[in-house]
Amino acid sequence: MPELRPHLRATRRWVQAAPVQKHHEVPRLIESWLQGWVGSTAPTATLDVSHPLFSEPVFCDRRNFFLALALAVGAPVRGGPSREELQAQLLERLRARQTVRLKRWSGAELAALFLLLADEAPSADTVEALKALREAQSTSGSFGEQMGATLVALAALRRWDPTSEAFARALDFLLHERTTAGVWCFSPAEVWDTALLCRALEGCEDLEPAMFERAWSFLLRAQNEDGGWSYREGVESDTDTTSMAMLALPRTDAGTSASGLGRAYLERMQTPAGLWLTWQSRDDPPAEDVVAHAILALRKWGTVPAFWAPAGEWLALRARQEGGCRAHWYNIDSYASHEVGLALGPSHDSTRHLARELVERQNPDGGWPPTQGAASSAAATGMALALLTFYLPNEHLCVTRAIHYLAELQEPGGSWPGPLQMYGPRPFAIDYPMQIHALSVHGLAAVARASRTPPRPLTEL
């Protein structure tokens, strides 16, 4: 794309120098291909999507996204649907976009990828895809405020409608969003960050009350018309952020009113099986952390237990499966254990099972690993500590070692280092500094609250 060519040198250097993500086979294979592609003068690197993981429902969209890109630039591919099959799949999903309630950026990706693969001669299908692409553009000029969707949309518009206002607005957005380092970042998540921190720091009386009041005011302003919240402003609501915002808001008149609308949103979003999906699309699978947050939010704001009881039973079964429960949005086992455990309640057998596993998995340095066998991290340790405060007194060796680990790891400015590995889009991982801070401090705040209040009866492990 000639309009972006002067800006790509720094991006190319960054891609070639960045370490390939190895926590999951899907990003490892795709990022290895991207580095080979970016580092060559011709698209000679083969994109291999033959691994069985690429066929799992939650990863199919990522496979098709990069498969379409590879085919569009003439790179060799291995595995996955053929070009013709992929075009047919993209068009079928694009035509059903209203029925399956796709996110704005998902609809834009489908339309753009179809247009990049289509023959040069216009047809009724390309006219339909171009119309859908224009409809998906946000007022900012982006497509769903997502950088990846906006980039492929810009490429499609450059091919099919280069003189249009839509193309000019998308280009302006991308040039404006380019960082001072000359690269593009995934997306801010200011609503999720704010809600996550408010929840982590709840009850910390030594913090300035005005800080919480400003944060609550922001969350109230960020609520969407449908009653839900999204991880950032200007995007459609999602279940997980809606639940987290409701957990963060206080029981003031304004908080109660906003959470009532949020509760109605969550009740509408419940699936026939009694569970919740992250996005509104029926193609999205239920996730343990998302379901747990929905239960916690509904319970806080007065929904009768019978409404979310089937979801609790589902969580209890997931918690006792081999390997324990898994979070879909953080690659951190203790995060899943904490959220699922709180949703079920500390006295539940499955929660005690999760807590016992955490005690057994504490590393010799006093911290906890994000996943079994890994090195300790601040975020994983904070979430493990937060759950164990329901079972262990503050003077217990397991707790004191964890506190010491976090104190030693804390940086001079008060924050903690990563990794975090938030999935976005799954299974690609991103580190958000404020989220590292929130998960790390969550456990310390729980310990501090326990030390300031009369000793509560601890649940036996």
Side-chain angles (χ1 to χ4, degrees), residues 127-168:
V127 170
E128 181 180 358
L130 197 55
K131 179 177 180 289
L133 188 59
R134 294 193 189 102
E135 291 173 351
Q137 191 167 30
S138 303
T139 55
S140 65
S142 73
F143 289 81
E145 309 298 332
Q146 284 282 358
M147 208 60 63
T150 303
L151 282 164
V152 294
L154 187 70
L157 289 169
R158 181 68 177 77
R159 186 183 184 205
W160 289 95
D161 204 5
T163 61
S164 64
E165 180 188 356
F167 175 82

Side-chain angles (χ1 to χ4, degrees), residues 5 11 44 70 83 110 151 203-204 213 238 303 306 331 388 395 412:
R5 204 166 287 151
T11 304
T44 56
R83 186 186 188 103
L110 291 173
L151 282 164
C204 291
E213 290 168 5
D238 66 79
T303 297
N331 190 30
L388 292 178
E395 61 272 15

Side-chain angles (χ1 to χ4, degrees), residues 268-308:
R268 292 195 306 273
M269 291 301 107
Q270 191 181 39
T271 71
L275 305 176
W276 283 270
L277 315 178
T278 304
W279 311 120
Q280 297 175 13
S281 170
R282 69 184 184 195
D283 296 330
D284 197 48
E288 287 100 314
D289 43 341
V290 177
V291 172
H293 292 153
I295 292 175
L296 288 166
L298 291 171
R299 186 164 65 204
K300 174 182 177 180
W301 293 103
T303 297
V304 294
F307 185 81
W308 42 262

Side-chain angles (χ1 to χ4, degrees), residues 219-238:
L219 290 175
L220 292 172
R221 294 193 305 272
Q223 189 171 25
N224 289 332
E225 290 184 1
D226 61 7
W229 281 265
S230 180
Y231 67 96
R232 64 168 295 178
E233 292 185 284
V235 178
E236 301 104 307
S237 301
D238 66 79

Side-chain angles (χ1 to χ4, degrees), residues 375-430:
S376 299
S377 78
T381 301
M383 296 311 294
L385 190 56
L387 180 60
L388 292 178
T389 56
F390 288 94
Y391 303 96
L392 305 177
N394 285 0
E395 61 272 15
H396 192 283
L397 183 60
C398 185
V399 174
T400 58
R401 290 173 62 226
I403 294 171
H404 179 76
Y405 169 82
L406 288 170
E408 289 291 312
L409 195 61
Q410 191 174 29
E411 296 174 336
S415 61
W416 281 271
L420 175 74
Q421 293 188 343
M422 179 190 183
Y423 290 138
R426 291 170 289 186
F428 293 86
I430 315 167

Side-chain angles (χ1 to χ4, degrees), residues 22-82:
K22 297 180 179 178
H23 64 276
H24 193 281
E25 195 66 6
V26 168
R28 188 191 71 79
L29 289 168
I30 289 179
E31 291 189 358
S32 297
W33 172 73
L34 283 170
Q35 285 190 333
W37 175 38
V38 166
S40 62
T41 55
T44 56
T46 298
L47 175 61
D48 187 353
V49 294
S50 61
H51 194 286
L53 282 172
F54 282 101
S55 297
E56 291 190 7
V58 74
F59 304 138
C60 276
D61 285 346
R62 289 307 95 200
R63 178 200 66 190
N64 291 347
F65 181 93
F66 288 100
L67 188 60
L69 286 183
L71 292 169
V73 299
V77 300
R78 181 182 298 118
S82 66

